[in-house]
Amino acid sequence: MQALKVERLSDDLSGVTLADCPTPARAPGEVLVAVRAASLNFPDLLMTRGEYQFKPEVPFTSGLEFAGEVLEADPASGFAPGDRVMGGNKTGAFAELACVPADKLSPIPRGMDFPAAAAMGAAYSTAFTGLVEICGLSEGQWVLVHGASGGVGLAACDLARALGARVIATTGSPAKAERIAALARPEAVILAEGRFREQVAELTGGALADIVFDPVGGDVFDESTRCIAFGGKLVVVGFTSGRIAEVSTNIPLIKGFSIVGLRAGEYARRFPERGSAINRAIARLAEEGAISPAIDRTLPLSRWREGFEAMANRELVGKVVLVPGS
């Protein structure tokens, strides 16, 4: 089979290659899946550089998540050949075949195709864990979502709006604003540069944001401490800006807000029952048509470099989906 292998860590993807590999051997408790689509996530890019908190030993097959059809499974796994499934296991998704533990898979929501299913999992579980599980999102709240052109940011906008919140989306690129508005349908799209607190205050009638969802960090995080309402929550999702921000503790003390860290995968590992409940809730919303992942482009696996470079160059509005065997 073909698989995207990280043979060595590099800053320019020079250590990544599409290689012919042996068919993976399924261990007890694992499910062998024919991968029909796999989506690119920012951690996939970071792992090629050795910059993500999870550092697999090289060489490894890249890819966090996929959707496909079951080929082999233990009878006790709950899966059978032909089942349409989605999931992943930190690595291994960018391949024609993948073996993963049964508990890392779930059925694809009814009516959803493989590319959408591949694009949904990590982004929406991150958004749901942060907004609902950690922040207790409720109808009518103001949610400020940074990095709204990315898969996770768009998922947060989509989910918050579906649950009745009022969403302000931000971007660092004026050229992306119109596309974000069309996909995320927020109350407003603003540029996350300089002193954007005044725009947030005007849009919210002075109330500011009940929740700030921040995958960006850096200067955006700094200004977000001025945008959060008293008693609100500022969710640290990541640092795509490249700078890990710091905050003087007198600021959250005076403004009465909380800064909370979000690691959705670790949350689900530590609290598996809650992780399963999150997946069921997302699937239900998808089957109802309330949420739908945004896909920027679908590429054959052979054009993997185009997708990785588009992510590195911040060209995307939505997810990249790679399709093996095409």
Side-chain angles (χ1 to χ4, degrees), residues 146 196 212 214 216-227 234-236 238-239 241 243-248 257 259-260:
H146 296 308
F196 54 81
V212 177
D214 181 20
V216 179
D219 295 346
V220 167
F221 176 92
D222 295 342
E223 182 66 5
S224 291
T225 64
R226 304 177 69 242
C227 297
L234 201 169
V235 187
V236 178
F239 318 103
S241 69
R243 179 172 74 84
I244 298 175
E246 298 179 355
V247 62
S248 298
F257 69 87
I259 301 172
V260 292

Side-chain angles (χ1 to χ4, degrees), residues 6 18 28 41 49 67 76 84 99-100 105 144-145 154 231 243 268 270 273 295 313:
V6 180
L18 189 61
N41 292 279
R49 305 169 177 170
R84 300 169 73 252
C99 274
V100 298
L105 297 174
L144 178 63
V145 179
L154 281 169
R243 179 172 74 84
R270 289 177 179 266
E273 291 184 359
I295 296 175
N313 295 331

